[in-house]
Amino acid sequence: MGNLLVNTRDQRFVLFEQVGIDKLFKIPKYSKFNLELVDMFLKEAEKFAVEVIAPTFKKSDHEDPAYFKDGKAHAPACFHPVYKKFVEGGWICPPAPEEAGGQDMPMSVFTACSELFGAANYSFFMYPGLNLGAAGLIGTFGTPEQIKKYALKMFAGEWAGTMCLTEPGAGSDVGALRTTAKRLPDGRFSITGTKCFISAGDHDLTKQIVHPVLARIEGDPAGTKGISIFIVPKYRVNEDGSLGESNDITTVNLEHKMGINGSATATLNFGENGKCIGELLGKEREGIKIMFKMMNEARLSTGMQGLDSASASYEHSVQYAKDRVQYRKIEDMPNQAAPGVAIINHPDIRRSLLWMKAHVEGMRALNYYIGYLIDLEPFVEDHEEKEKLEDTIGLLTPISKAYCSDKSVDICSLGMDIHGGYGYCQEYPMEQLLRDAKIATIYEGTNYIQSLDLVGRKLGRKGGMAVMGLMGQITETTEKAKGVEELKAGAEQMEAALQAVNDLVMQLGSWGMSGEFVLPVLNARSVLMILGDMIIGWQLIQAALIAQEKLQALLKKAGAEGSPDKVKALAGENDEVAFYLGKVASAQYFTVNILPTLKGRCEAIKLGDRTPVSMPDACFESR
Amino acid sequence: MKIGVLMKQVPDTETKIRIKDDASGIVVDGIKWVMNPYDEYAVEEALRIKEKKAGSTVTIISMGPKRSVETIRTGLAMGADSGILIDDPALEGADCYATAKALAKVMEPENFDLILCGKQAIDDDSAQVPQMVAEFLGMPQAMVIDKLVVSDDGKKATCYRRIEGGAKEVLEVDLPAIVAAEKGLNEPRYASLPGIMKAKSKPFKEINLGALGLKAEEVGAKGAKLKVKKYFLPAEKAPGKIIPGEPEDAARALVKMLREEAKVV
Ligand SMILES: Cc1cc2nc3c(=O)[nH]c(=O)nc-3n(C[C@H](O)[C@H](O)[C@H](O)COP(=O)(O)OP(=O)(O)OC[C@H]3O[C@@H](n4cnc5c(N)ncnc54)[C@H](O)[C@@H]3O)c2cc1C
Ligand SMILES: Cc1cc2nc3c(=O)[nH]c(=O)nc-3n(C[C@H](O)[C@H](O)[C@H](O)COP(=O)(O)OP(=O)(O)OC[C@H]3O[C@@H](n4cnc5c(N)ncnc54)[C@H](O)[C@@H]3O)c2cc1C
């Protein structure tokens, strides 16, 4: 039995065998790492996740959630010792530079560690996660004084951070924000406005909370172009770095939510008494550009959140299906006297589990791969190559965020189905996993907003170069797979899917050129999910090519080649054989069962139906 | 103080143990290896003493195959200063006696003020190595200890252990001595990330038989006093029985079963 959270063998497969992170170690910044060390990070992360974080999962949902009392916000009591240990363990900022107290850990490796933390209890991991993002923002765009004053204390885990974009009247449409910044004589700004839904917006895990806040300087233009970003601490900071008086930020309340109940989601009033002071971060009117750095990272984390819950749901479901006895074997159905079997013997349960497994593995591979590209990007010297890499990351980010979070809800729901009535009840973690997973489709920009970003900006950029480049890579992998007996059928499906997606992208392009924006915008969600399936299929085929080769070697060694019975027996006793065989099976299942749907889905969009927009509003309403 | 910690790498408690076809041992392929949990208490206790007594050092000593390096590294990442691995093909098949002999030999020249170890390794569960090491080194021993206080002058240690009836036995030993940890001695820390990075460059040496100054006959299977004939898994237990009904009736039924079926009363 594994840890019921994450398949750590698959984590190592993706990092070491598929993505090949050893290539990073040639870069001076990462030369202090090696595979052995990464293996140790993963082991310690697993131990910490299982032994320290996981015990808070249920507690922080129910009996000990984040709460608001007498004007003060509190994190769950059970988070306090965990947070302290998390900081002591150095987990608060591994990717930060060494001089800032981090380890320069590659994003790909940190992403893998974070999967364990998130699967153990995502609502806990949000506190350090947001802090890392906010500290990174100040670390990148702040002045040396600001870095010293704020970022270093945040990287050290002494202070925490947030991201403050959303307002009651400005959710998806950040440009509509109304928080204002008034210039003060000393160059600082007086901040006034309300921010809502601020995760980790107020709590008692740290003495100080530092808010990066989006606001408009008086007189600046409307919309996103007029937005600047400010560093606004909960308490003013004295010259010597100690904490001073309150900075006039009032916590109005914490939300009562469907899930992630351990995470304090606050409404904050800035400057009710005109005494909230902020410092400009970066240049004026560049707030959106700056915040996008944090948002891109946060989008990847949200894609990861999808993976985290999905992975935990899958691991629990396999275990449950092995234990729960219900019905006879399908062959024995007419024979009432035949013994009952564990439900993992039933074809439909196996189908469900493999569906979950394939998606989880594909999502894992995609997210670690994006992490790897992010690691690589700063060190690519060739200008053209660098731009290509940036565009690929830009293309994959909204896909990861929306695809992984949407699929996560499906996976958690299926995991619940496998648990039957028990999955719906609180003795099992399935219902909480599903509730916790759902937020990921909404925050960090709703999945529709991600789809709009993809269709409106990323796909068409530079004549569609990024998506064409990606499809070129997929074609290469597919060609290889066509030469492998076990993967041939799936590779053929991928070929057909690539053709269909190519035609669709062309169609979207020509609609765009002729000013027909409604159709791409109307179908954006479908387009994103189609691309997502294609990319997940690609990742799975890539993995299977590697796995198949290693499997062959193992079978040869054991003299089991060509004998299905021997292979089956061997898989029962040799974990490596079982693992590689499972990798090949994931690819086989996904490519043959899911890729064929792409053609039909592409065709549907190309039909250009506009019923949803042409139907009069009145038809929607019950009267 | 100069502190030595004996540490063994063992299969993770979650590991599904498989026996080799010829019953000569367990299949080690695919096993996840961890630090023996009782040794974790020993490492932690050593680190706490080191933190209190300036200038102290902690050395981890392990006998085992090459892979044990990983687990020594974990100890170094927790904060120990150096590591020694005794690894030689001739050591294979050692029993507690042969193991203790090799361990004692490597520790002799180190002149430790205190040697800490776990009360037993959870793989073989023998609980004999610490006592034998103490004998070989001619040191006092305090076994199964859940509280340890080292005197300010570093000359004595007061050791506490639970005994039958919920009572505590208190032992005072002169140092150097060997102390074996029981669960509850402390709460072992987690290796921190900076600790893991630092562990890379901490002194670590590997010692083979030659360097140890022992002959092949004295160690491993040849030097062992105990021969393992075969390994086998315990027979599966029959499922328990639940006796339904009112307590009185159930008690009656139980007595009947104990008498007639189990034949124990
Ligand atoms: C638990 C939680 C934590 C959060 N944490 C943070 C945080 O830390 N910091 C922060 O700044 N914010 C945070 N948010 C806010 C979150 O990012 C917003 O809720 C989200 O961006 C959506 O905004 P909204 O709720 O106002 O919905 P709306 O913007 O009103 O959207 C409602 C619906 O309309 C759709 N829609 C909007 N515009 C368009 C369009 N042009 N075309 C088509 N459809 C459209 C949306 O997709 C959505 O389905 C959090 C929210 C929650 C619930
Ligand atoms: C809120 C709630 C209210 C309920 N109310 C009532 C009520 O009023 N009266 C009542 O009698 N019951 C009630 N139930 C019970 C409900 O009908 C059962 O939970 C349901 O029938 C599933 O049974 P199970 O939970 O034992 O799951 P299981 O039967 O153990 O099923 C587990 C999984 O295995 C699958 N499975 C089982 N057998 C096979 C097979 N042969 N082939 C393929 N897959 C298989 C199932 O589809 C499921 O995915 C209620 C349950 C809940 C949660």
Side-chain angles (χ1 to χ4, degrees), chain A residues 163 165-166 171-172 197-199 257 439 442-444 446 448:
Chain A
M163 56 191 281
L165 290 86
T166 307
S172 301
F197 293 135
I198 305 308
S199 298
K257 308 189 295 289
I439 185 58
I442 298 168
Y443 63 13
E444 286 316 325
T446 65
Y448 178 74

Side-chain angles (χ1 to χ4, degrees), chain A residues 64 127 218 274 299 320 496:
Chain A
D64 181 19
Y127 293 90
E218 277 183 329
R299 283 178 179 173
Y320 187 82

Side-chain angles (χ1 to χ4, degrees), chain A residues 324 326-327 333 343 346 349 417-418 420-422:
Chain A
R324 173 71 171 164
Q326 203 70 177
Y327 272 122
M333 276 302 175
I343 58 172
H346 300 316
I349 295 285
D417 287 334
I418 290 174
Y422 303 92

Side-chain angles (χ1 to χ4, degrees), chain A residues 40, chain B residues 35 43 47 58-60 69-84 191 195-196 198-204:
Chain A
M40 245 174 119
Chain B
M35 187 184 294
V43 173
L47 295 175
V58 176
T59 302
I60 298 198
V69 177
E70 270 174 50
T71 313
I72 295 182
R73 285 254 154 76
T74 304
L76 297 177
M78 286 168 78
D81 301 285
S82 59
I84 302 174
I196 294 174
K198 273 189 219 133
K200 256 191 334 184
S201 48
K202 285 184 176 170
F204 167 75

Side-chain angles (χ1 to χ4, degrees), chain A residues 97-144:
Chain A
E98 211 172 286
E99 58 274 17
Q103 308 296 339
D104 288 314
M105 185 188 276
M107 212 47 210
S108 44
V109 176
F110 183 61
T111 300
C113 296
S114 79
E115 186 185 348
L116 289 153
F117 302 144
N121 188 356
Y122 196 80
S123 76
F124 168 78
F125 187 57
M126 286 178 76
Y127 293 90
L130 280 153
N131 175 57
L132 182 60
L137 204 61
I138 300 175
T140 309
F141 298 100
T143 61

Side-chain angles (χ1 to χ4, degrees), chain B residues 91-147:
Chain B
L91 297 168
E92 253 175 66
D95 65 350
C96 295
Y97 178 82
T99 303
K101 187 164 206 172
L103 287 172
K105 188 82 185 170
V106 79
M107 286 193 293
E108 224 172 65
E110 300 282 340
N111 292 318
F112 290 118
D113 300 306
L114 174 65
I115 297 169
L116 284 157
C117 57
K119 68 163 183 173
Q120 71 197 77
I122 57 143
D123 49 0
D124 296 332
D125 266 341
S126 306
Q128 295 175 19
V129 170
Q131 297 87 332
M132 291 183 183
V133 169
E135 283 301 312
F136 279 120
L137 292 178
M139 278 185 190
Q141 47 171 296
M143 299 290 124
V144 200
I145 296 308
D146 65 3
K147 184 178 166 193

